[in-house]
Amino acid sequence: MPLETIPAGHGTHIPLERGKILRVIDPEGGQSGDLVAFRAGDVTEWLSNGRSFDYGAKIYFSTGDVLYSNKSQPMLTIVRDDVGRHDFLFTSCSIEMFRIQYGIEGYHSNCIDNICNALQHLRVKPHMVPTAFNFFMNAKVAPDGRITIEAPCSRAADAIYFRAEMDLAIALTACPAPSCNGGPPRPVAYEILDHLPPS
Amino acid sequence: MPLETIPAGHGTHIPLERGKILRVIDPEGGQSGDLVAFRAGDVTEWLSNGRSFDYGAKIYFSTGDVLYSNKSQPMLTIVRDDVGRHDFLFTSCSIEMFRIQYGIEGYHSNCIDNICNALQHLRVKPHMVPTAFNFFMNAKVAPDGRITIEAPCSRAADAIYFRAEMDLAIALTACPAPSCNGGPPRPVAYEILDHLPPS
């Protein structure tokens, strides 16, 4: 499969079979995006930050870490990671978020709508979208619990590789929120691989 | 309304009108529990840790903090807090969690089932239960993201007071997981107040 590009501020659906590798790339550097996953054919099973936090005993995930479903099943394993810092705390950006955080009253491209559009064949509605795995997003938690969002650590061509532990319906976005991306929104690229290539 | 008690390892439904105060008490000390909220009459709007993290720019919440719904509406405000440390990261305990974390193969009382039973009149199923506000639970996040669960800071008779910012259907539990409670599970008490009493 060739490299596919998600334009800045957009999203797409990726069916990912168990055992396949999803490589998510930051082509230009400094760009984050959202990954949401449902079990193929069953929208009642979804990628859960709360279960992953519990079983991993951590809030930051990188190479070797397993991401779990709300039904406590392994969904994805991070098998390689050039970046090492991702966020799993923040809900995807939405029209309401842009109004509250940026004062934008009209429509603004947002990850919730992009995820629902990508998964409309599964009838995923906004209230069914769980907290995304915000790849390359750099949300730092201080010891007192305060969160600061800094620019992603990803440089041009950096990637994170996920192995599917079950058949999945994935939504992947290139986030349009400037504050998460250290600058104007840019594209995200991806490809599906049969095996993890030599490093 | 008199003080109500939730026995150890159980849960209950609490309808809470906008403006009313819910006082949640740890009668014996060292006990945590889960609070889940839906908008009254609309299970598509629920208490969201991801939105609360985003708008509060923090993961720990106490007096003065607002907890938001997935639709970015204020749901609850913490108006008094004797304890000062609660968790909003961990998903409620479940049968699967007790199998994975404790090796328990048979049935074990758990907060997911207790929440669904409390809200069965709303047809809330396990996959619809969002990450609970784990009152009095003491999950510490280190700078590297590692989470350690310590005994709750709550002493006997300590309480947290929430004001409802909309009409709510709340599920409240006394958590049966020993690791969150610094000892065997104990009860939780609560009452509904018209006004915040003088401190």
Side-chain angles (χ1 to χ4, degrees), chain A residues 2-16:
Chain A
L3 209 63
E4 299 277 352
T5 297
I6 302 170
H10 286 70
T12 195
H13 167 234
I14 303 170
L16 192 68

Side-chain angles (χ1 to χ4, degrees), chain A residues 25 41 76 102 113 123 175:
Chain A
I25 307 134
L76 291 160
Y102 295 87
D113 284 353
R123 299 185 186 178
C175 179

Side-chain angles (χ1 to χ4, degrees), chain B residues 31 39 47 65 86-87 97 99 124 132 135 137 140 158 165 175 181 184 194 197:
Chain B
Q31 174 65 34
R39 182 189 281 273
L47 185 63
D65 289 327
H86 314 278
D87 171 68
M97 189 283 283
R99 180 174 48 74
V124 171
F135 56 87
M137 183 169 161
K140 279 192 182 166
D158 277 350
E165 304 299 349
C175 179
N181 300 310
D194 290 329

Side-chain angles (χ1 to χ4, degrees), chain B residues 57-75:
Chain B
K58 58 173 71 173
I59 63 166
Y60 302 131
F61 297 88
S62 188
T63 307
D65 289 327
V66 177
L67 307 181
Y68 285 84
S69 77
N70 62 320
K71 299 185 183 181
S72 298
Q73 302 301 310
M75 274 199 142

Side-chain angles (χ1 to χ4, degrees), chain B residues 5-193:
Chain B
T5 296
I6 302 171
H10 285 71
T12 195
H13 168 232
I14 303 171
L16 191 67
E17 286 174 29
R18 181 179 177 180
K20 298 277 187 180
I21 308 287
L22 174 64
R23 177 181 172 225
V24 179
I25 306 132
D26 183 352
E28 301 180 25
Q31 174 65 34
S32 68
D34 286 5
L35 182 152
V36 164
F38 291 90
R39 182 189 281 273
D42 181 5
V43 293
T44 71
E45 186 160 7
W46 36 266
L47 185 63
S48 166
N49 65 345
R51 292 271 168 240
S52 302
F53 292 157
D54 192 351
Y55 300 142
K58 58 173 71 173
I59 63 166
Y60 302 131
F61 297 88
S62 188
T63 307
D65 289 327
V66 177
L67 307 181
Y68 285 84
S69 77
N70 62 320
K71 299 185 183 181
S72 298
Q73 302 301 310
M75 274 199 142
L76 292 160
T77 301
I78 301 173
V79 289
R80 186 176 296 161
D81 181 10
D82 298 332
V83 178
R85 179 51 66 95
H86 314 278
D87 171 68
F88 210 3
L89 294 168
F90 275 34
T91 313
S92 301
C93 62
S94 65
I95 297 175
E96 295 80 13
M97 189 283 283
F98 278 105
R99 180 174 48 74
I100 293 172
Q101 303 281 58
Y102 295 87
I104 295 171
E105 291 297 332
Y107 187 80
H108 191 286
S109 166
N110 66 87
C111 287
I112 285 280
D113 284 354
N114 288 335
I115 290 164
C116 291
N117 287 336
L119 300 176
Q120 61 182 331
H121 61 294
L122 303 176
R123 299 184 184 178
V124 171
K125 306 298 179 195
H127 74 274
M128 297 161 62
V129 178
T131 300
F133 184 84
N134 304 304
F135 56 87
F136 310 147
M137 183 169 161
N138 188 3
K140 279 192 182 166
V141 178
D144 68 356
R146 293 266 163 197
I147 306 172
T148 50
I149 301 179
E150 302 187 8
C153 301
S154 49
R155 297 154 305 175
D158 277 350
I160 179 171
Y161 298 67
F162 303 91
R163 183 180 66 226
E165 304 299 349
M166 61 173 73
D167 290 351
L168 294 170
I170 285 176
L172 201 73
T173 72
C175 179
S179 63
C180 305
N181 300 310
R186 281 150 291 185
V188 162
Y190 70 95
E191 63 180 342
I192 297 173
L193 305 166

Side-chain angles (χ1 to χ4, degrees), chain A residues 1 31 141 151 174:
Chain A
M1 184 190 140
Q31 173 65 34
V141 178

Side-chain angles (χ1 to χ4, degrees), chain A residues 57-70:
Chain A
K58 57 173 71 173
I59 63 166
Y60 302 132
F61 297 88
S62 188
T63 306
D65 289 328
V66 177
L67 307 181
Y68 285 84
S69 77
N70 62 319

